[in-house]
Amino acid sequence: SQQGEEDPQALSIQEGENATMNCSYKTSINNLQWYRQNSGRGLVHLILIRSNEREKHSGRLRVTLDTSKKSSSLLITASRAADTASYFCATDARGGYQKVTFGTGTKLQVIP
Amino acid sequence: EAGVAQSPRYKIIEKRQSVAFWCNPISGHATLYWYQQILGQGPKLLIQFQNNGVVDDSQLPKDRFSAERLKGVDSTLKIQPAKLEDSAVYLCASSKDRETLNTGELFFGEGSRLTVL
């Protein structure tokens, strides 16, 4: 079963614009991760945010986490054509044994 | 550092045939995962190994799927007999042992794309 659900399912923006993707999940978590998947490839880890953190930055990425709302957002600033990919959130449920469950994904298209 | 290796990259079989996928994780990674990703969906965990023991196989269709991890390193995932709905990409991932309750990063292979006709 999918723990997380991303919103929107698809997003199309112009190069240089910001892209925001949201993730909602169901159970209490230890941490939340975001991954990118280029078409036909494996997933690549982008960033991890722990349950006691509220915001984290990595380069052009900004992730927020609201555990009271069981939601997270990924912001990609100044998008590039190379950012075109699917983005997934993944959660590690509290009390679990490192079981990582992925959401449904957001397909981002950045138009040059 | 070598990444997660998977083979074959592509496989086409008829329904009711069998298929096997192989995964070699990153050296020293104790945890190995097999995910199934159907087109347009997120990866679904099939089975998770900690060293050579299974810690979760709750979503593995055990009547047709089997997996093993020999000596806590390489792993194989087998499907026998295959059904049309098994058409998907099978992703292998590995991660280091966790020192705390917080999970670390998963490293994925490129996946094995299965088409069942």
Side-chain angles (χ1 to χ4, degrees), chain A:
Chain A
S1 60
Q2 306 285 158
Q3 157 76 317
E5 192 167 308
E6 280 89 336
D7 169 57
Q9 289 188 354
L11 180 61
S12 183
I13 59 174
Q14 296 288 331
E15 201 166 29
E17 293 181 337
N18 295 342
T20 300
M21 288 158 266
N22 303 296
C23 168
S24 59
Y25 56 91
K26 298 171 185 172
T27 61
S28 296
I29 59 172
N30 289 319
N31 61 59
L32 185 143
Q33 303 179 56
W34 284 90
Y35 286 79
R36 184 188 74 222
Q37 185 178 38
N38 290 87
S39 182
R41 308 296 297 274
L43 283 78
V44 175
H45 181 264
L46 294 175
I47 195 166
L48 180 152
I49 186 166
R50 304 195 187 283
S51 59
N52 60 354
E53 297 175 313
R54 292 296 166 257
E55 188 170 313
K56 202 161 184 180
H57 296 254
S58 177
R60 294 184 296 113
L61 306 179
R62 172 178 169 255
V63 169
T64 61
L65 179 64
D66 187 336
T67 53
S68 66
K69 295 181 179 178
K70 293 187 170 57
S71 67
S72 174
S73 68
L74 171 67
L75 169 67
I76 303 174
T77 60
S79 64
R80 305 166 182 169
D83 296 328
T84 294
S86 291
Y87 292 81
F88 296 90
C89 66
T91 54
D92 172 18
R94 183 162 294 172
Y97 38 76
Q98 207 173 0
K99 177 178 177 178
V100 179
T101 307
F102 285 82
T104 51
T106 291
K107 194 165 187 177
L108 173 66
Q109 181 185 28
V110 181
I111 302 167

Side-chain angles (χ1 to χ4, degrees), chain A residues 1 37 41 92 97 100, chain B residues 35 37 56 59 102-103 110:
Chain A
S1 60
Q37 185 178 38
R41 308 296 297 274
D92 172 18
Y97 38 76
V100 179
Chain B
Y35 286 88
Q37 187 176 26
D56 189 291
Q59 297 192 91
N102 291 326
T103 303
E110 295 290 350

Side-chain angles (χ1 to χ4, degrees), chain B residues 39-50:
Chain B
L39 186 66
Q41 299 183 17
K44 182 181 92 170
L45 180 66
L46 292 177
I47 189 166
Q48 178 180 341
F49 294 93
Q50 183 77 14

Side-chain angles (χ1 to χ4, degrees), chain B residues 22-87:
Chain B
W22 172 82
C23 173
N24 179 236
I26 293 173
S27 177
H29 281 193
T31 307
L32 185 147
Y33 310 76
W34 282 102
Y35 286 88
Q36 179 193 58
Q37 187 176 26
I38 293 171
L39 186 66
Q41 299 183 17
K44 182 181 92 170
L45 180 66
L46 292 177
I47 189 166
Q48 178 180 341
F49 294 93
Q50 183 77 14
N51 295 307
N52 59 349
V54 176
V55 295
D56 189 291
D57 63 357
S58 57
Q59 297 192 91
L60 186 74
K62 297 181 187 62
D63 58 334
R64 298 183 301 105
F65 285 65
S66 65
E68 61 179 2
R69 189 179 184 193
L70 302 174
K71 300 180 182 177
V73 182
D74 291 9
S75 178
T76 57
L77 175 71
K78 296 179 182 177
I79 308 174
Q80 181 180 10
K83 292 185 175 181
L84 296 177
E85 59 260 36
D86 298 332
S87 293

